[in-house]
Amino acid sequence: MDHGFLNVLPVIVAAVLTIITRETLVSLFAGIILGNIILTNGNIFAAFVKSMTDIMTQVRGNAEVIAFSLLAGALVILLQASGGVNGVVHSLTEKTSVVKNKKHALFLSYMIGLVLFFESSINILVSGTIAKAFSDKYKISSEELSYESASVCTSICGLFPFNGWGATLIGIIGVQIAAGTISGNPSEILIKSIPFNFYPWVTLLTLLFYIFIGKHWGPMKKASDRAKTTGKLVRDEGTPLIDTSGSQNLMRKSMKPDFMNMVLPLLVVILMMPVGLYVTGNGNMIHGSGSISVYWAVSAALICTAFYYIVVKKIMSGKEYMAYFYKGAENMVPVIILLAMSFTIGEVASQLNIGKYFAALINGRIHRIFEPTVIFILSAVISFATGTSWGTFALMMPVGLQMSSVTGSHMVLTVSSVVSGALMGGSCSPVSDISVLSSMAAGADHIDHIKTQVPYAILNGIISTVLFIISGYIFNR
């Protein structure tokens, strides 16, 4: 199959429709259908059947992620309904004065995100939930919260190789070493690339800058001003990806704020992740399964929470606990459907060989000084279109390293350009799981999250591009 630019059309259509109509699910489904029409050579009936089959295949293939999302929704509701969220706010503001303002709240979430570098989903769930606890008190817009969660998560997970992201990259680089394309130790090559991984470094530094100056620009400024002046965390026409207001309706007025009702479940989640990674990795946490581990971790947290709330604290009955549980899981249905659509359009994009099409465009056509820059930009485009940073790693790393071996381009710089580009595109793609989970954790309208984050990502990308050009001139001339 070789349709050229036509293969890119489904992703473009999905992205444009999403922005124009603000109907993400319909837009993604339209992109899936169009992609399969191309794949089936114009057979509309076969394309529809294949689309429905593809969606179900992605649901089955990502069962742990789907289950994690359901359980995470239940856990978020329980943390609120138990008085745990209010307890954390009370303890850190009025009781200890650790968090005195919006700046402190965002910085606390930022630091928690840096510490939880071992798994992206847990990073977003924990840091996002804690930051959202302060959103009403300090009028932090949902767009700002989702931007922070997505940015810190992708940046720190991409910079530190001691997680599933690092294991994937080491494996991909190792294949090229085994094939004789390049030489060296894959772990050493990846670690040496970290200082040149410009996009995540720039993102973390600029985010810290925005937190401390308390100023924004573009659509994010409009969202921040709205929250500050009106107290509306989501715009009037916006639809939060997950609505937690139901927990307030179910909660008894006698429920008292309690710091431990939130901290204990989150500690279980954090502590269970290394255990899950160790078990699924057969003693090697780096090779463990992140999707299975997060599912285990949240399941363990819910079990411990049930025992603590019902038996130890006696703050709710078993019937009440399950009412909250079902409400939280119900809230996650739109998120799960969106994830299924995101996974599917990513798979359709892979079948259309979008990445290979773009890679072929640059192969042998650029000077090696600009090679890292072009690879960075191309990786960002592919990652944005497909919604997967890992898939971009798998596609662009071999392409980049093979080009590097032929042109003599700096190998470590090539690795960093692929990683940076994949992180940039994945962090702001409307079809990436990171974006979806960030919107969920912050209670943001998903399209509003994308529209406010993209300008910041583009600016960070421009700064990174300049740094890659300078580095290319220094190392590749």
Side-chain angles (χ1 to χ4, degrees), residues 116-132:
L116 301 179
F117 61 84
F118 49 80
E119 215 292 320
S120 56
S121 299
I122 293 299
N123 188 310
I124 289 175
L125 175 64
V126 176
S127 63
T129 300
I130 290 177
K132 195 173 187 307

Side-chain angles (χ1 to χ4, degrees), residues 350-390:
S350 297
Q351 293 174 18
L352 289 167
N353 294 322
I354 290 176
K356 291 182 180 179
Y357 167 75
F358 281 121
L361 289 179
I362 68 168
N363 194 18
R365 292 182 171 90
I366 55 175
H367 192 282
R368 66 179 185 177
I369 287 178
F370 301 103
E371 194 172 299
T373 304
V374 174
I375 290 174
F376 163 67
I377 295 172
L378 183 56
S379 297
V381 171
I382 293 172
S383 184
F384 181 86
T386 60
T388 167
S389 297
W390 289 31

Side-chain angles (χ1 to χ4, degrees), residues 199-277:
Y199 181 79
W201 284 121
V202 170
T203 299
L204 289 176
L205 290 173
T206 54
L207 179 57
L208 200 59
F209 173 76
Y210 294 132
I211 289 174
F212 279 103
I213 67 167
K215 305 277 185 189
H216 287 285
W217 55 277
M220 189 71 79
K221 183 180 186 302
K222 185 177 179 180
S224 181
D225 290 345
R226 180 201 67 230
K228 183 178 179 180
T229 56
T230 69
K232 295 177 181 178
L233 308 185
V234 181
R235 64 184 176 86
D236 289 332
E237 299 82 12
T239 304
L241 202 53
I242 175 173
D243 182 12
T244 58
S245 60
S247 61
Q248 303 299 325
N249 298 328
L250 291 170
M251 185 168 53
R252 296 194 310 266
K253 292 182 179 180
S254 59
M255 195 78 75
K256 296 180 179 179
D258 191 326
F259 180 84
M260 288 304 296
N261 288 351
M262 179 172 177
V263 172
L264 181 63
L266 293 184
L267 281 177
V268 173
V269 170
I270 294 170
L271 295 175
M272 276 298 296
M273 268 305 302
V275 174
L277 292 171

Side-chain angles (χ1 to χ4, degrees), residues 59-108:
V59 170
R60 288 194 297 268
N62 294 279
E64 294 89 357
V65 177
I66 302 298
F68 160 75
S69 300
L70 282 171
L71 298 181
L75 183 61
V76 168
I77 289 290
L78 283 161
L79 295 179
Q80 290 191 333
S82 67
V85 172
N86 290 339
V88 167
V89 174
H90 176 75
S91 296
L92 295 180
T93 56
E94 299 176 23
K95 196 172 181 180
T96 63
S97 297
V98 171
V99 177
K100 298 179 181 179
N101 49 43
K102 174 182 175 180
K103 183 188 303 181
H104 291 169
L106 291 173
F107 183 65
L108 174 63

Side-chain angles (χ1 to χ4, degrees), residues 18-91:
T18 297
I19 295 171
I20 294 176
T21 67
R22 307 187 71 87
E23 293 291 340
T24 311
L25 294 177
V26 175
S27 303
L28 292 180
F29 188 66
I32 293 168
I33 290 289
L34 180 57
N36 279 321
I37 288 175
I38 295 172
L39 288 169
T40 57
N41 296 315
N43 189 324
I44 297 177
F45 178 76
F48 178 79
V49 173
K50 183 177 183 302
S51 297
M52 301 309 296
T53 303
D54 286 347
I55 292 171
M56 292 309 301
T57 299
Q58 290 303 311
V59 170
R60 288 194 297 268
N62 294 279
E64 294 89 357
V65 177
I66 302 298
F68 160 75
S69 300
L70 282 171
L71 298 181
L75 183 61
V76 168
I77 289 290
L78 283 161
L79 295 179
Q80 290 191 333
S82 67
V85 172
N86 290 339
V88 167
V89 174
H90 176 75
S91 296

